[in-house]
Amino acid sequence: MLIGLCGAKEQLNRNNNDDDLDASKDLERRFGCVESLLEFVTKRWEQRWVTTDIWDEKALDQLQRRPFFILLSVDAPVSLRWRRFVAQCEERNETPPSLETFVRRNDAHLYDHNDGLACLIDRAELRLVNQTSSIQRLHDTLKDLDLANNERLRPNWDEYFMQLASLAAHRSNCMKRRVGCVLVRERRVISTGYNGTPRNLTNCNEGGCARCNSGSAAGVSLSTLEKLGYTIEWIRQPQDIECAESLILPGVGHFGHCLTQLSQSGYLEPIRKHVESGKPFMGICVGLQALFEGSAENTSVSGLGIIPGYLARFDNADKSVPHIGWNSAAISEAEVRRCGSLYGLRNDSKYYYVHSYAVPYRKGLFEQDGWTVATARYGTEVFIGAIARRRIFATQFHPEKSGVAGLRVLKAFLEGQESSCPAESVQPVSQGLTRRVIACLDVRTNDEGDLVVTKGDQYDVRENASAANSGKVRNLGKPVDLARKYYEEGSDEITFLNITSFRNCPLADLPMLEILRRTSETVFVPLTIGGGIRDTTNTDGTLIPALDVATLYFQSGADKVSIGSDAVLVAEEYVRNQGRLLGKTAIETISAAYGNQAVIVSVDPKRVYVDSPNSTKHHTIKTEYPGPSGQEYCWYQCTIKGGREGRDLDVRQLVTAVEALGAGEILLNCIDKDGSNSGFDLELINDVKKAVKIPVIASSGAGNPLHFEEVFRSTSADAALGAGMFHRGEYAVWDVKDHLAKEGFLVRPFEDQI
């Protein structure tokens, strides 16, 4: 072994270091050139040699070609070296230079154009910073470095393969991370790889990946797993699946679309091989559905067929479809007594579902093939909520969006904990869809330019004349902080409504994207974003389709997008076309790509009173709350531009149109009730529920927990939304849910421990 030393002159005192490097004084030799030195050491490389005479890169190039050579640099802070040099001068009765002179000489020594040593120091395999004033401590440090260890010359197999993987990662096309791999069998390299771009797609480093080039997050599921202390790698080509230790197949959207995409991209067979190999596999939502033979959603597309059975659509005769919200995933009493739990599932927990098709459960059918099944009930229909056999585990619900209960499930799968301690007794639990309580945050810039949560009074978000901040935007807190607070209080979903002016340029809407990214790091329930989801023109004149805008939000952490004014304009065209689908609207394109459950239409209606139904062409109701002139009838006029402009369209025309176009949920506001704290408009909610089969979220007017009880008792609303009462601190989310539970309503229980 030959160790080369380089560094500041004061550090290279061989009288201090030779003993520690085991280079004996009686073996000291001098050579006229590097070639002579190498010829001598090559014949004696198993002995230990040290040289300090490395003064240029040409000499270093020759030395580093030999596998027995290691370069060690020794350095110290310049002020410390000056103090040492002063002390040495005093010992020799010499006058030390000033600090300025010393620094100038040091700079010349390191950075001189012809013979500066900085370039050599940068190439050192080992770097020692000597900050001690004790020679003994320096000796101890050198001993701890174990410089003579032969593994420094020849790395062990693990280090060797990791160095190859690191080198492969330098070929990465990804703009956000370098990932490399080495496939090894019996200590032989079979292949190397890196996270390249799939064939026929533009490389990420050439602008092909919008997520990376825009700085978008890698996805919500990544944040969820990071919360648990894990890291994941995205599968970018079918060959990657063979390298996977554990495989998670998430999915949301249309069964046929997802399976077709997987098949055409060559992923289906590698996925099947992974599952059949016995390696851990987890399917989520469509990932569960893919394991079965097929689905009524698209009968021409086959699933993997690993589990016999077909998916059927929920019957919407007595309930809303899609099935959206929190429901059970309960195993049988016998299974609880036998294995305790299935991959962390608890019968008394609730999990977040969002789907229109499910596998009907028939007792004993799957169990006879060795499957353990957790079921959920929606109306009178019982379906598979989760299913497992050995290392195969799949959930119809989304664990990454199921709060603490979902984190527990993911943790159990990643740790391979298929079962827990058997239970001696089983407590009965209530199954079925819970009543959802949603916290809504209206976000805009205040007068100082900061993003804040605000709340309007009939959509006016500025303080009134009597307030201390008269005329200013009402500031109720920071969006990310409030979202995390409401999640921790038990909110079933979080909705952001972007009402600020920069929504007119979504692709430059970096503040809202950042809010979504940061929120998704700590909030593990569904996130909805509304505002600016439409076809738009970018600042460079490029036309950006609404689907691309929505994709940007989804990639930043959103689970649903809410469309407002544009939905009204589209519905008007739908009515003019006598109910013919348009094909290119935001609702249609986004729901086709991500599923109708990903599209919410936000409706802003207001009452228009009339003397009789014959007074208008629009659908009317008889109201218990007469108008200013005693009118007993009214119709609900749709508005756009934040309620500032009324349209010749009633609420029934709007909701039936958007349901036909592919919307999966209605967010039903009411301008008359907004900010009133007087309760929801029950007549409006009941009227809309009669018109559509998709879920309806009641909004506007909530001022206390009694109003939530009232809306769930008097209407069939699927969820209810609160805002100002939470922002002002008058009530917490759990106050509402506790009240509902005491009144006999089924709500998601509060959980804070994984």
Side-chain angles (χ1 to χ4, degrees):
M1 175 183 289
L2 173 62
I3 297 175
L5 290 177
C6 66
K9 290 180 179 178
E10 303 82 54
Q11 303 299 321
L12 304 182
N13 186 333
R14 283 179 297 205
N15 291 331
N16 290 340
N17 295 340
D18 282 352
D19 291 341
D20 299 284
L21 297 175
D22 207 15
S24 302
K25 295 180 178 61
D26 59 342
L27 291 178
E28 183 174 310
R29 298 178 182 271
R30 297 183 179 274
F31 302 91
C33 61
V34 174
E35 290 81 0
S36 299
L37 168 65
L38 286 175
E39 181 181 357
F40 176 83
V41 176
T42 299
K43 298 175 182 179
R44 302 165 180 81
W45 71 269
E46 292 181 333
Q47 300 176 28
R48 300 170 184 174
W49 305 94
V50 177
T51 179
T52 61
D53 295 322
I54 307 172
W55 302 112
D56 59 49
E57 287 195 279
K58 183 178 179 181
L60 181 58
D61 289 340
Q62 292 179 277
L63 291 168
Q64 287 192 326
R65 292 193 188 105
R66 299 302 170 104
F68 51 74
F69 176 78
I70 292 177
L71 181 64
L72 168 68
S73 75
V74 185
D75 202 354
V78 65
S79 60
L80 178 58
R81 290 195 286 107
W82 178 66
R83 290 197 298 272
R84 290 175 182 163
F85 191 67
V86 169
Q88 293 173 11
C89 290
E90 291 175 349
E91 289 177 3
R92 295 192 290 266
N93 293 320
E94 297 175 354
T95 302
S98 66
L99 176 59
E100 181 180 354
T101 301
F102 183 87
V103 169
R104 195 182 310 115
R105 292 176 182 174
N106 177 77
D107 289 346
H109 179 63
L110 293 178
Y111 304 110
D112 183 82
H113 179 70
N114 295 317
D115 57 5
L117 297 185
C119 58
L120 306 182
I121 294 173
D122 288 341
R123 293 173 60 178
E125 288 92 347
L126 296 172
R127 304 188 70 168
L128 173 61
V129 178
N130 176 23
Q131 300 191 65
T132 179
S133 57
S134 166
I135 294 298
Q136 185 57 48
R137 288 184 183 177
L138 176 60
H139 290 181
D140 292 341
T141 300
L142 289 169
K143 289 177 181 177
D144 290 340
L145 282 175
D146 192 15
L147 294 175
N149 189 330
N150 283 330
E151 285 195 359
R152 294 194 179 278
L153 298 178
R154 186 179 176 88
N156 61 40
W157 286 108
D158 288 344
E159 292 176 346
Y160 168 63
F161 292 135
M162 288 305 297
Q163 288 177 20
L164 289 179
S166 178
L167 181 62
H170 281 72
R171 283 285 303 165
S172 168
N173 290 328
C174 183
M175 301 303 294
K176 298 187 73 173
R177 71 174 90 185
R178 284 178 172 167
V179 178
C181 71
V182 177
L183 302 184
V184 178
R185 181 179 295 135
E186 297 178 352
R187 294 183 177 178
R188 292 173 180 256
V189 175
I190 305 300
S191 178
T192 62
Y194 57 91
N195 58 339
T197 304
R199 188 175 293 127
N200 299 323
L201 294 181
T202 304
N203 285 337
C204 174
N205 57 358
E206 296 172 347
C209 177
R211 182 184 70 210
C212 290
N213 285 280
S214 66
S216 300
V220 178
S221 57
L222 175 61
S223 298
T224 309
L225 295 176
E226 287 179 341
K227 171 76 172 179
L228 297 171
Y230 290 87
T231 57
I232 68 170
E233 295 296 337
W234 294 99
I235 298 295
R236 301 188 182 277
Q237 53 190 352
Q239 301 92 307
D240 295 345
I241 294 177
E242 186 178 352
C243 306
E245 293 287 337
S246 298
L247 182 64
I248 298 178
L249 179 63
V252 63
H254 192 279
F255 174 89
H257 176 78
C258 291
L259 270 292
T260 299
Q261 290 293 311
L262 288 172
S263 178
Q264 291 178 348
S265 302
Y267 284 97
L268 276 189
E269 284 309 308
I271 291 172
R272 186 197 308 277
K273 289 180 181 179
H274 178 97
V275 175
E276 293 175 346
S277 72
K279 292 182 179 180
F281 171 86
M282 183 176 187
I284 297 174
C285 195
V286 177
L288 172 143
Q289 297 177 5
L291 295 175
F292 289 84
E293 295 174 272
S295 171
E297 192 168 14
N298 190 329
T299 56
S300 64
V301 176
S302 299
L304 290 167
I306 292 170
I307 309 175
Y310 291 85
L311 289 96
R313 194 175 194 275
F314 285 118
D315 182 4
N316 63 6
D318 61 342
K319 56 186 176 293
S320 300
V321 177
H323 170 234
I324 298 179
W326 299 77
N327 209 326
S328 303
I331 61 176
S332 67
E333 292 185 12
E335 286 296 328
V336 173
R337 292 191 177 95
R338 183 182 68 84
C339 65
S341 70
L342 177 67
Y343 282 111
L345 292 172
R346 292 182 182 176
N347 284 7
D348 57 349
S349 291
K350 298 293 181 181
Y351 306 93
Y352 182 74
Y353 292 83
V354 52
H355 58 123
S356 299
Y357 294 80
V359 181
Y361 174 69
R362 296 176 180 86
K363 188 174 182 179
L365 178 63
F366 301 100
E367 290 85 347
Q368 66 184 4
D369 292 330
W371 296 97
T372 301
V373 179
T375 61
R377 181 185 299 276
Y378 187 35
T380 60
E381 298 181 78
V382 179
F383 64 94
I384 293 179
I387 189 167
R389 186 174 68 184
R390 294 185 291 277
R391 290 186 163 187
I392 303 173
F393 178 50
T395 66
Q396 181 60 70
F397 61 85
H398 287 268
E400 79 281 7
K401 290 295 174 182
S402 296
V404 170
L407 294 175
R408 186 185 305 120
V409 171
L410 286 169
K411 185 172 186 288
F413 168 75
L414 293 168
E415 294 179 352
Q417 296 178 354
E418 182 179 358
S419 60
S420 61
C421 298
E424 296 181 359
S425 61
V426 180
Q427 299 296 324
V429 295
S430 299
Q431 286 205 41
L433 194 64
T434 67
R435 307 291 185 146
R436 279 182 287 157
V437 177
I438 301 173
C440 180
L441 294 81
D442 291 344
V443 180
R444 67 156 291 161
T445 51
N446 63 9
D447 298 293
E448 287 72 40
D450 301 319
L451 277 177
V452 299
V453 174
T454 189
K455 185 69 188 78
D457 181 0
Q458 295 191 332
Y459 291 23
D460 182 2
V461 299
R462 293 191 176 274
E463 299 285 5
N464 56 41
S466 61
N469 297 319
S470 175
K472 289 192 173 184
V473 171
R474 195 171 289 116
N475 183 351
L476 298 175
K478 296 181 179 179
V480 176
D481 294 342
L482 285 179
R484 182 173 61 251
K485 175 188 176 202
Y486 299 146
Y487 164 68
E488 292 172 349
E489 290 178 358
S491 182
D492 296 317
E493 297 182 26
I494 302 293
T495 295
F496 292 108
L497 296 181
N498 170 16
I499 63 173
T500 199
S501 58
F502 56 65
R503 66 180 180 179
N504 292 317
C505 190
L507 294 185
D509 189 1
L510 296 179
M512 284 307 299
L513 296 176
E514 183 63 18
I515 284 175
L516 284 170
R517 294 186 199 109
R518 290 175 54 199
T519 301
S520 64
E521 292 173 357
T522 56
V523 174
F524 304 110
V525 295
L527 302 177
T528 298
I529 179 71
I533 314 296
R534 60 176 180 273
D535 294 344
T536 190
T537 301
N538 205 3
T539 52
D540 61 0
T542 306
L543 179 64
I544 308 297
L547 175 59
D548 291 353
V549 178
T551 297
L552 193 59
Y553 283 120
F554 289 136
Q555 291 174 343
S556 298
D559 300 283
K560 310 177 192 179
V561 293
S562 175
I563 301 174
S565 295
D566 272 34
V568 176
L569 302 179
V570 166
E572 289 176 341
E573 187 176 356
Y574 178 84
V575 172
R576 286 195 299 270
N577 290 339
Q578 299 179 337
R580 289 196 302 271
L581 298 180
L582 308 175
K584 296 183 179 180
T585 66
I587 297 173
E588 292 169 288
T589 56
I590 297 171
S591 63
Y594 292 98
N596 61 352
Q597 77 289 331
V599 180
I600 297 177
V601 168
S602 179
V603 186
D604 297 323
K606 64 180 180 180
R607 288 189 174 214
V608 177
Y609 285 96
V610 293
D611 293 323
S612 72
N614 297 327
S615 303
T616 178
K617 65 179 181 179
H618 293 292
H619 169 77
T620 61
I621 65 168
K622 188 172 183 178
T623 177
E624 296 181 6
Y625 309 97
S629 301
Q631 301 99 322
E632 295 183 349
Y633 294 90
C634 72
W635 65 281
Y636 286 93
Q637 181 186 33
C638 294
T639 67
I640 61 175
K641 299 179 181 178
R644 296 187 300 275
E645 180 181 322
R647 306 292 292 188
D648 188 21
L649 188 77
D650 65 59
V651 70
R652 275 217 173 189
Q653 290 175 305
L654 173 61
V655 297
T656 54
V658 299
E659 180 181 35
L661 290 167
E665 207 166 9
I666 300 294
L667 174 56
L668 187 55
N669 308 296
C670 179
I671 293 177
D672 308 285
K673 284 286 190 175
D674 184 65
S676 67
N677 298 323
S678 61
F680 300 94
D681 190 329
L682 306 180
E683 293 178 331
L684 169 63
I685 296 165
N686 279 322
D687 188 49
V688 169
K689 282 294 294 182
K690 291 175 184 176
V692 296
K693 294 294 186 180
I694 58 178
V696 173
I697 303 170
S699 176
S700 302
N704 59 62
L706 288 171
H707 292 148
F708 287 83
E709 176 194 349
E710 182 181 43
V711 74
F712 287 134
R713 198 177 297 283
S714 302
T715 77
S716 55
D718 300 272
L721 180 149
M725 59 182 282
F726 299 142
H727 305 333
R728 293 187 294 268
E730 296 164 356
Y731 297 94
V733 176
W734 53 47
D735 292 329
V736 174
K737 300 183 82 170
D738 287 347
H739 176 79
L740 291 174
K742 290 176 183 177
E743 294 300 320
F745 293 97
L746 186 60
V747 296
R748 177 171 67 103
F750 178 76
E751 297 185 67
D752 61 355
Q753 297 296 322
I754 296 178

